[in-house]
Amino acid sequence: MLPDTRGFHGSSRIVSEWATRRRRAEKASDQNLQKVPSARTIARLMTMARDHLSKADSVTVAAIEAGVLALVEARTLIERFHAMIRMKIEADLEPWIAEASASLLASFAAGITKSKAAVAQRSRSHGQTVRPRDKSTS
């Protein structure tokens, strides 16, 4: 006789413990929604991939996006900057700096302006490493 392979074979105690953990997790996430997250937490949540956020974090991000449009603009600028560096699009640097200078990223844009040559070089050679010369073979 073959064993029955349909359904869950655990005891009702296991199911009860699982349901209790699940209810407690939902209650904890509801309580977390009432706390104001720190600036570091907000920055992490706003820059994480949306697919990887928990339900509570997604609700927090939605509330932040609805209330602070400047943070949404800053996140968009950061995503554009990352894409520009990854795809080595040096021509987009000047327009990006102009836009970022009028946003929450103004100090970052000022730093990029000061080291524009290095950023442009990085966008051209991203992923390539320069090997130092061997001084012993002169």
Side-chain angles (χ1 to χ4, degrees):
M1 183 158 135
L2 294 173
D4 186 12
T5 58
R6 294 174 290 153
F8 178 70
H9 294 286
S11 68
S12 62
R13 180 183 61 86
I14 299 296
V15 174
S16 176
E17 288 174 0
W18 173 83
T20 301
R21 281 194 307 273
R22 188 83 188 228
R23 280 191 301 275
R24 286 182 182 158
E26 284 296 319
K27 186 184 284 188
S29 68
D30 291 342
Q31 290 170 350
N32 288 344
L33 291 177
Q34 296 171 357
K35 288 190 234 174
V36 176
S38 68
R40 178 176 284 181
T41 301
I42 291 172
R44 181 183 56 79
L45 291 175
M46 294 293 288
T47 55
M48 275 183 70
R50 292 173 181 255
D51 307 6
H52 303 294
L53 294 175
S54 68
K55 176 185 171 189
D57 290 344
S58 296
V59 171
T60 302
V61 168
I64 292 167
E65 288 175 343
V68 189
L69 296 178
L71 284 178
V72 176
E73 179 189 8
R75 180 187 59 209
T76 303
L77 285 167
I78 289 169
E79 289 170 352
R80 281 181 42 209
F81 183 77
H82 286 159
M84 184 175 47
I85 296 298
R86 273 194 312 271
M87 295 188 300
K88 305 174 189 172
I89 307 173
E90 186 180 345
D92 289 351
L93 186 58
E94 285 298 327
W96 183 90
I97 289 173
E99 243 182 285
S101 296
S103 74
L104 293 175
L105 299 177
S107 62
F108 181 67
I112 295 295
T113 301
K114 288 180 184 174
S115 58
K116 195 183 320 180
V119 173
Q121 175 64 28
R122 179 71 178 161
S123 70
R124 282 192 297 267
S125 66
H126 183 68
Q128 300 173 355
T129 57
V130 179
R131 298 177 71 175
R133 293 183 192 173
D134 187 9
K135 294 181 182 178
S136 64
T137 60
S138 4

